[in-house]
Amino acid sequence: MRSLRLFARYRIYLLLAAVCAIMAASAPNFASAFNAGTILKSASAHLLPAAGLTFVLVVGQIDLSFGACMTLGGMLAIGLEPSLGWPGGIAVAVLAGLGIGLANGALVTVARVNSFIATLGTMIIVQAAAKIYCHGGTLAVHDFRLHHWLDGALLTVLCPRALICIGLALALAALLHWTTIGRGFLLVGANPSTAWFAGLRPDRYVAGAFVLCGALSALGGAIFAASACAANPTMGDNSLMLVIAAVIIGGTSMKGGRGSVAASMAAVFMLVALIDGLSCFGAGFEAQLIASGSVMAGVVLYDAFVARRHELRRGARPHLMRSG
Amino acid sequence: MTAEARAVRPALRMRLIPAARVVSVILLLAAAGRLISDRFLTIPNLLNTVQAVALLGIVAVGVLFVTYTGNYADLSVPSIMAFSGIVAVSALRFGIVASLAAGLCAGLAVGVVNGIAVGYARANPIIWTLASGSVVGGAIRWLYSGSQVYPDSQLPAGRIFLALYRASLFGAIPATLCVLALLAVAAHLIMTRAAYGREAKLTGAAYDVARMSGVNVKLIVALAFFASSFAASIGGILLTSLNKVGAAYIGGGYDFLAVTAVVLGGVSLAGGRGGVAGVLGGVLIIGVLRNLLMLLGTDTFVQDIVQGAVFILVVGISSLMLRRAGRDDA
């Protein structure tokens, strides 16, 4: 039983190790320093929104608008760079994401709209706004210095882009697990009334999670666009599915109160490594859809199975539970 | 009505708020339309308005079952639509009946799997349908190696297939509207007259209560996903007939549009509340709004923004009013 619990807790790291081991053994050119760098680079685009979404799920809500936030963030950073420079452009992008998060938070906490509906609405609006901003086309970068710096070699496989994203995500992991504020998010998600009696203000934590998710997604989009040297209107849509899959596979519960940013990060790396390995075999976009979909389906079925077993054992004697 | 029955029925204004919101929004939009353009209140324009959202209506009536039983939404709808459409096109050489049957079966197969996973295995509906939609979408691209298929207009079956969406009854009423009307009436009867409707209401509103009262909750939920895939398959075949091409991307956006219509129609995401009439009202709101903006000459992206804003406003205001009235749907 104890080993089962340990497995449930660390399954995502085992999955990550298994995917890497299998791919390294079978896929051509998978186990090379260059490919490791590629995986780190393409995973870094998803790390920040995944960390933000983990916070939103932890407080028991859902955010569908983060993909649109990424797109808008990337667009604003690139579009404003000629007039404001990179720092200004990225700052405006993050502020825009912050604003969208604030709007989501207000809709959910003040108007009490179900977060699935509220963020669906903001997703439609932000997507359209991003398309109007770029006139439906692709925005290209004029100043390549940031790209060269972001994707330049730092340590053999680690480029500054990956380092920034991993560092920021790790900081958020520390925030969630090792600080009083972070534990507050978990408490609010697990039981809002208990949190209220403990002196926390649940609404502030919920709104805070949405703001965090919006700002991080916009920053992630901006960094991705700056290093890809272009922003197109479908950028965030492609990330939406992968990031939701990663956070769920990482074991964050949609019911709230349970989740880990580090596990979400590991799940992002696992999915990206899986897709990268499949593309080493020559598979394309369809393999990416099938692979991430199947892993997500498998995990959600496993979770349902565990919940069902737990349900069956509820009320059973604890000493019997431990031995069985 | 006995005193007991009156006590069980919710206060009149609480029942009326969702209905009033649909009717008042439509009336408001219609009044605005009359002011904006003389062309708005003409029969051809109104018919256009309704036909433009007929497919959405068909899909939304299916999604209603999923939402009603407390499972939020079926996000695999776009993939089901694409799958049924592309399979129907590739089966055209065996005749039109075989083609339609194959398309329908393809879509229903996805619905059966969804129903088993969510109904029987109790997988999370949002995540599961997102995953199954992704797998089916990938499978279509893989099976057809990323290419599109076109209905062959040389075959008689191909000509019939292409005419499906464009056909009309008595030369005036579009056939798609008749399909929608048939589906809506059937769904309404199932919801209000059949045992399934009452059991689905209880399942959606209070799953455990339903289970302990002897309702076969697993079957009820599974059938809801089956109904959703049935409606989506019909919608997908008609959409393929409209676009004259079967492709993996067909149906994109219909998942969230259907949720928008269902929610605008006063169906609660908490489950067990709402009905077919409301959903048709929600679909009509989207249609009239699009038509108005088109008459005004706004571009598609601005239309999206306005639609999103109206959606949030309507749902926000009515959920605020419901809370004031003492009912919390959130």
Side-chain angles (χ1 to χ4, degrees):
Chain A
M1 195 58 207
R2 189 179 148 74
S3 58
L4 249 176
R5 263 207 303 274
L6 277 177
F7 170 73
R9 189 162 172 194
Y10 296 110
R11 69 169 183 209
I12 180 57
Y13 305 103
L14 294 174
L15 261 175
L16 174 61
V19 165
C20 288
I22 292 171
M23 286 300 173
S26 59
N29 301 327
F30 181 84
S32 62
F34 176 76
N35 195 47
T38 312
I39 292 176
L40 281 175
K41 268 182 200 167
S42 41
S44 63
H46 308 297
L47 283 179
L48 296 182
L53 186 66
T54 307
F55 274 86
V56 173
L57 288 192
V58 157
V59 295
Q61 309 287 343
I62 177 92
D63 189 351
L64 297 173
S65 68
F66 72 85
C69 276
M70 281 182 78
T71 311
L72 188 71
M75 296 267 167
L76 286 175
I78 285 190
L80 293 174
E81 183 269 322
S83 51
L84 298 176
W86 280 116
I90 292 179
V92 172
V94 173
L95 279 179
L98 213 92
I100 296 163
L102 208 58
N104 284 335
L107 279 168
V108 172
T109 57
V110 179
R112 296 271 166 208
V113 179
N114 185 306
S115 59
F116 185 78
I117 298 175
T119 56
L120 172 62
T122 44
M123 175 186 89
I124 295 169
I125 294 178
V126 175
Q127 245 168 16
K131 279 181 189 160
I132 289 174
Y133 187 75
C134 68
H135 306 292
T138 301
L139 292 181
V141 165
H142 303 291
D143 176 9
F144 288 94
R145 274 175 304 173
L146 185 64
H147 159 72
H148 288 314
W149 182 74
L150 276 174
D151 279 12
L154 190 67
L155 303 165
T156 46
V157 294
L158 214 56
C159 58
R161 162 155 69 129
L163 200 64
I164 291 172
C165 293
I166 293 173
L168 208 52
L170 281 178
L172 287 161
L175 172 74
L176 183 61
H177 296 287
W178 292 335
T179 66
T180 323
I181 298 176
R183 305 307 296 183
F185 282 102
L186 289 161
L187 181 54
V188 165
N191 194 333
S193 2
T194 309
W196 190 81
F197 282 121
L200 303 177
R201 300 193 181 198
D203 282 358
R204 288 196 183 172
Y205 280 90
V206 172
F210 279 110
V211 169
L212 207 56
C213 185
L216 284 170
S217 306
L219 180 63
I223 292 178
F224 178 66
S227 60
C229 294
N232 64 18
T234 57
M235 189 173 90
D237 301 351
N238 298 338
S239 202
L240 185 77
M241 164 80 191
L242 193 140
V243 169
I244 293 181
V247 174
I248 296 294
I249 293 169
T252 299
S253 159
M254 290 212 34
K255 294 194 183 79
R258 197 160 56 83
S260 151
V261 175
S264 297
M265 290 171 68
V268 167
F269 281 120
M270 191 271 288
L271 280 178
V272 172
L274 183 64
I275 292 163
D276 180 273
L278 289 172
S279 67
C280 283
F281 285 114
F285 183 56
E286 70 276 4
Q288 176 177 345
L289 286 177
I290 296 179
S292 56
S294 315
V295 176
M296 185 151 76
V299 165
V300 85
L301 275 183
Y302 176 76
D303 283 346
F305 169 71
V306 170
R308 189 184 162 76
R309 262 170 48 117
H310 187 75
E311 192 104 317
L312 288 177
R313 283 162 180 252
R314 203 165 53 179
R317 284 176 222 169
H319 62 273
L320 292 176
M321 262 176 88
R322 231 175 272 135
S323 65
Chain B
M1 195 188 289
T2 62
E4 232 170 83
R6 216 176 296 131
V8 171
R9 281 180 84 86
L12 186 66
R13 69 178 164 157
M14 284 193 214
R15 275 187 290 131
L16 280 186
I17 289 172
R21 108 174 163 203
V22 176
V23 175
S24 60
V25 171
I26 292 178
L27 285 181
L28 253 173
L29 288 175
R34 185 69 195 82
L35 289 177
I36 287 164
S37 165
D38 290 336
R39 273 190 303 158
F40 179 72
L41 276 182
T42 56
I43 301 284
N45 184 50
L46 289 181
L47 213 55
N48 267 339
T49 308
V50 183
Q51 194 179 5
V53 288
L55 289 183
L56 174 61
I58 292 173
V59 175
V61 165
V63 173
L64 164 67
F65 282 87
V66 172
T67 314
Y68 196 67
T69 51
N71 291 294
Y72 285 78
D74 184 349
L75 298 182
S76 65
V77 155
S79 294
I80 294 178
M81 292 174 79
F83 194 38
S84 61
I86 205 166
V87 167
V89 171
S90 27
L92 270 178
R93 57 173 173 271
F94 305 114
I96 185 71
V97 178
S99 147
L100 294 184
L104 212 55
C105 287
L108 287 178
V110 183
V112 168
V113 175
N114 283 345
I116 291 173
V118 180
Y120 286 87
R122 303 283 300 132
N124 181 304
I126 299 179
I127 305 299
W128 173 267
T129 53
L130 203 60
S132 74
S134 169
V135 171
V136 172
I140 298 172
R141 287 178 173 84
W142 179 60
L143 286 172
Y144 291 87
S145 37
S147 57
Q148 313 178 333
V149 291
Y150 299 90
D152 187 0
S153 55
Q154 304 296 322
L155 295 170
R159 278 195 293 278
I160 300 176
F161 186 84
L162 287 175
L164 278 180
Y165 182 82
R166 294 164 186 82
S168 58
L169 247 61
F170 314 118
I173 309 162
T176 41
L177 276 184
C178 300
V179 175
L180 171 60
L182 269 178
L183 267 180
V185 168
H188 183 73
L189 289 178
I190 291 173
M191 288 252 167
T192 53
R193 296 274 181 271
Y196 177 83
R198 284 191 297 277
E199 293 182 352
K201 188 178 182 68
L202 188 56
T203 306
Y207 187 86
D208 283 327
V209 175
R211 185 169 56 87
M212 290 172 184
S213 320
V215 173
N216 190 348
V217 281
K218 295 180 171 175
L219 185 65
I220 297 283
V221 173
L223 283 178
F225 279 92
F226 191 71
S228 162
S229 73
F230 178 71
S233 308
I234 293 178
I237 290 171
L238 288 172
L239 185 62
T240 308
S241 161
L242 165 68
N243 288 348
K244 300 183 179 175
V245 57
Y249 57 80
I250 271 185
Y254 266 88
D255 43 357
F256 290 131
L257 263 180
V259 179
T260 312
V262 166
V263 170
L264 275 177
V267 180
S268 163
L269 281 191
R273 288 200 189 101
V276 177
V279 171
L280 293 183
V283 172
L284 200 59
I285 291 177
I286 295 178
V288 174
L289 194 63
R290 292 247 156 206
N291 184 261
L292 273 184
L293 294 168
M294 217 159 61
L295 287 176
L296 278 174
T298 43
D299 75 33
T300 23
F301 301 143
V302 179
Q303 283 183 22
D304 283 346
I305 291 194
V306 174
Q307 191 190 318
V310 168
F311 175 59
I312 288 184
L313 263 180
V314 170
V315 175
I317 290 174
S318 86
S319 84
L320 212 64
M321 280 170 69
L322 278 172
R323 213 149 59 92
R324 291 263 163 78
R327 201 182 95 191
D328 201 347
D329 267 354

